[in-house]
Amino acid sequence: MPTSEPDDRGRAEVRGRLAVTTLAVALTVALVATGCTTKPTGQPGGGGADGAGASVGASDGASDGRSGDGKKVDACTLLTAAEVTAIIGPNDGGGPGDGVGESVCTWENAKNYHSITVSIGSFGTAADGRLPEDSAYGTTESGPDGIRFAPGNVAEFVVGNRACEIQVVTSVTSNSDRPTAVRLVGLIRSRM
């Protein structure tokens, strides 16, 4: 993994991948809107410095970002500041991100455009503990532990009955971030 600042071509490639990912997220929003509802937590990102995980439960449709059992889902608490910094370097500390899910958190290194985005789906988005058969991202590849790799460095996974995803962007080749994504999925699952 190169440690030097990317050149203009590298920046253009990263921006191009981010544009494709933005399009995929827009498509996901459209698909989810036709089948179920989502709600953001509205919580500010804390960077998860203490490493505490959020508990989740059934969605009751409340607009305050609480699950049916009253416990908040805050994707920003699922990874610690140290874990994120070790992967993407100095970053913005994480905060609510764009995307589909009950809670979405994005950490970004503004200098090299490396980022991590975690999206925790709403209760019931993974019926019977399985990802929806078709991915909103198109063609996917099976990964370990029920993880499904999608274009744009996205790894889709299930926690309970929630369809979730993580996007790790630290290189210009999508497959090189997969081992990191798998490791982070394990951490997220253990904290939920």
Side-chain angles (χ1 to χ4, degrees):
M1 178 179 337
T3 57
S4 63
E5 186 173 324
D7 60 14
D8 288 340
R9 182 174 167 257
R11 284 190 185 110
E13 288 177 14
V14 170
R15 285 187 189 115
R17 282 189 307 176
L18 292 175
V20 168
T21 301
T22 301
L23 178 61
V25 168
L27 176 60
T28 302
V29 170
L31 291 172
V32 170
T34 62
C36 62
T37 61
T38 62
K39 57 183 179 171
T41 63
Q43 299 298 310
D50 64 357
S55 297
V56 295
S59 173
D60 64 358
S63 62
D64 66 355
R66 292 182 183 270
S67 298
D69 62 3
K71 296 178 183 175
K72 289 203 179 240
V73 175
D74 185 350
C76 290
T77 66
L78 298 174
L79 299 175
T80 67
E83 290 163 345
V84 171
T85 301
I87 296 166
I88 66 171
N91 61 80
D92 60 8
D98 295 329
V100 176
E102 184 171 295
S103 181
V104 180
C105 188
T106 299
W107 295 263
E108 183 176 9
N109 179 325
K111 185 174 181 180
N112 61 18
Y113 303 105
H114 293 179
S115 65
I116 297 173
T117 300
V118 174
S119 175
I120 304 302
S122 299
F123 184 86
T125 53
D128 299 322
R130 296 175 182 230
L131 287 169
E133 190 172 320
D134 294 322
S135 171
Y137 297 98
T139 304
T140 61
E141 296 176 41
S142 295
D145 300 322
I147 296 170
R148 183 167 70 189
F149 295 114
N153 293 0
V154 174
E156 299 172 302
F157 62 100
V158 172
V159 177
N161 70 352
R162 295 169 181 267
C164 305
E165 58 187 56
I166 187 167
Q167 181 184 41
V168 179
V169 179
T170 65
S171 67
V172 293
T173 60
S174 63
N175 294 350
S176 63
D177 288 320
R178 287 181 177 182
T180 301
V182 169
R183 183 173 58 81
L184 295 178
V185 167
L187 291 174
I188 291 166
R189 285 176 169 162
S190 73
R191 294 168 182 170
M192 290 184 62

